[in-house]
Amino acid sequence: MQKRLVVQGRLSDDQLSTLSDLFKVDVLPNPNVLDAPENRAVLAGAHGIIGSGLAITPALLDAAPQLEVIATISVGYDSIPVDELTKRGIMLCNTPDVLTETTADTGFTLIMATARRAVELAEWLQAGKWQASIGPAQFGSDVHGKTLGMVGFGRIGQAVARRGALGFGMQVLYSNASPKPALERELGAQRRELNELLAEADFVCVTVPLNAETEHLIGTDEFALMKPSGIFINIARGKVVDETALVNALENGVIKAAGLDVFEQEPLPASSPLPKMPNVVALPHIGSATHETREAMAQRAADNVRLALLGKHPISLVNEEAYQ
Ligand code: NAP
């Protein structure tokens, strides 16, 4: 019997065709809401699901009793209850590595854009306000030679730090669950407690995964520790930061600026003050969003699901216990 694979989208025609040679492939009728009534029939018979932003619940798993593997087209899997999957023997695969450099590029885009006020001043020019030589009111801050504080020092955090240390002569500090001696040697990075890092860094860049420990890791108390000239960057997940506290810190001069790729609620509601603030650069969660990287992520996820459904070890498996 051919196994059934449910595809939420984001795969190329070639990737779909390769999977269709091996499995019975169903494209989700409603790709935006996984547990929508019109999706139930295809999910009921699914052995595998591949897609991104998959909001998996125990009820949905109950409705898909044959499920063997979920392949998310992302490195983060905060919308998926891993323990619940493992309990049921369902593998969870993600797409680390292939998006690391692109997401780090996004982080550095935000560092540069906030420090040099690139978006604000481009809009100022567009509005016809460049009528004499610019002066201190339009000056920004240096990036080179400053102190970069990485909150989370995994694949993406290290890639951002490399750009800062090697490209911009920045001193790198990091706070992370475990020490990273190799990076300390490579970049001269120094490990700090989070509170110390917040107080010392000129740029604080968050790259921890969202989990029970990191939800609202950064709030009012943490912003208060930052320098008033400090710039805050979040390329991890919106819920790592208390967004109300962030708005207050930006409005009241507790910190200078913020560069944000992720938000507590996405898409960002129109009522959010953040994109309208001149000292904020807000992007619509584009961390990994280049043609090349999204293609590579989809390919990694397709490879993961193919291997898993053929009984082989996937390339990127989150819950090893489920394979065994
Ligand atoms: P990673 O390699 O697993 O790095 C995460 C790092 O965070 C690890 O070094 C880990 O420590 C550390 N960490 C975990 N929990 C912590 C805690 N409670 N306190 C301090 N440090 C903690 O993951 P990655 O590939 O760099 O990705 C990081 C996150 O970026 C993803 O989970 C995802 O949410 C986000 N992301 C966003 C975008 C975007 O579009 N903006 C794109 C890709 C990824 P250990 O090394 O000790 O385990």
Side-chain angles (χ1 to χ4, degrees):
M1 184 200 66
Q2 255 195 333
K3 289 191 175 169
R4 301 184 78 104
L5 173 63
V6 171
V7 175
Q8 181 224 28
R10 286 222 189 154
L11 295 188
S12 68
D13 290 346
D14 280 354
Q15 287 161 344
L16 273 177
S17 152
T18 305
L19 290 169
S20 301
D21 288 343
L22 296 166
F23 313 113
K24 165 86 180 69
V25 171
D26 293 306
V27 175
L28 266 190
N30 182 343
N32 298 319
V33 186
L34 193 57
D35 68 353
E38 58 271 35
N39 289 341
R40 286 196 190 133
V42 289
L43 288 172
H47 297 91
I49 302 177
I50 181 168
S52 61
L54 297 167
I56 303 289
T57 59
L60 193 132
L61 297 174
D62 287 343
Q66 307 190 72
L67 205 56
E68 296 173 20
V69 58
I70 295 175
T72 177
I73 311 175
S74 63
V75 66
Y77 44 83
D78 39 276
S79 65
I80 302 175
V82 186
D83 291 347
E84 189 64 38
L85 261 60
T86 307
K87 216 164 63 188
R88 297 170 188 239
I90 301 168
M91 289 176 269
L92 173 63
C93 304
N94 66 343
T95 64
D97 305 317
V98 293
L99 47 53
T100 297
E101 297 300 329
T102 297
T103 308
D105 286 348
T106 303
F108 231 87
T109 301
L110 287 170
I111 290 173
M112 294 301 293
T114 46
R116 301 304 303 271
R117 302 168 56 190
V119 175
E120 179 195 352
L121 292 175
E123 284 172 354
W124 179 82
L125 186 157
Q126 214 169 34
K129 294 183 181 168
W130 190 20
Q131 292 174 357
S133 296
I134 61 133
Q138 286 79 40
F139 292 173
S141 313
D142 279 343
V143 173
H144 67 270
K146 293 287 181 71
T147 299
L148 173 61
M150 298 304 308
V151 180
F153 209 43
R155 289 171 292 248
I156 295 169
Q158 293 172 15
V160 173
R162 249 183 218 109
R163 283 157 176 73
L166 305 179
F168 290 79
M170 298 176 93
Q171 164 70 52
V172 174
L173 306 179
Y174 72 96
S175 76
N176 192 68
S178 62
K180 303 288 176 190
L183 269 289
E184 293 183 14
R185 284 192 296 275
E186 180 190 336
L187 304 179
Q190 294 177 19
R191 191 174 181 210
R192 293 280 193 276
E193 292 301 323
L194 176 61
N195 285 356
E196 295 169 345
L197 177 147
L198 292 166
E200 285 181 54
D202 298 302
F203 296 86
V204 172
C205 180
V206 178
T207 61
V208 282
L210 172 63
N211 55 39
E213 274 177 36
T214 61
E215 185 163 356
H216 282 194
L217 180 71
I218 309 289
T220 303
D221 293 346
E222 287 69 31
F223 288 121
L225 289 171
M226 284 180 64
K227 299 177 182 179
S229 58
I231 294 183
F232 179 77
I233 307 291
N234 188 4
I235 53 169
R237 286 288 183 266
K239 287 185 180 151
V240 174
V241 179
D242 176 345
E243 215 162 85
T244 307
L246 172 61
V247 170
N248 286 336
L250 287 161
E251 277 176 350
N252 297 316
V254 177
I255 64 170
K256 185 172 186 184
L260 308 168
D261 186 45
V262 288
F263 302 89
E264 285 204 77
Q265 196 185 327
E266 296 180 6
L268 188 63
S271 59
S272 170
L274 285 166
K276 294 157 208 123
M277 299 173 85
N279 52 347
V280 171
V281 177
L283 297 175
H285 201 146
I286 63 158
S288 63
T290 64
H291 292 292
E292 300 89 335
T293 294
R294 284 294 169 84
E295 162 77 19
M297 289 164 69
Q299 187 59 50
R300 170 65 64 88
D303 289 341
N304 280 334
V305 86
R306 175 176 53 77
L307 289 166
L309 290 180
L310 294 175
K312 298 180 181 163
H313 195 290
I315 303 167
S316 324
L317 180 59
V318 173
N319 54 349
E320 192 62 40
E321 311 91 294
Y323 180 73
Q324 285 153 6

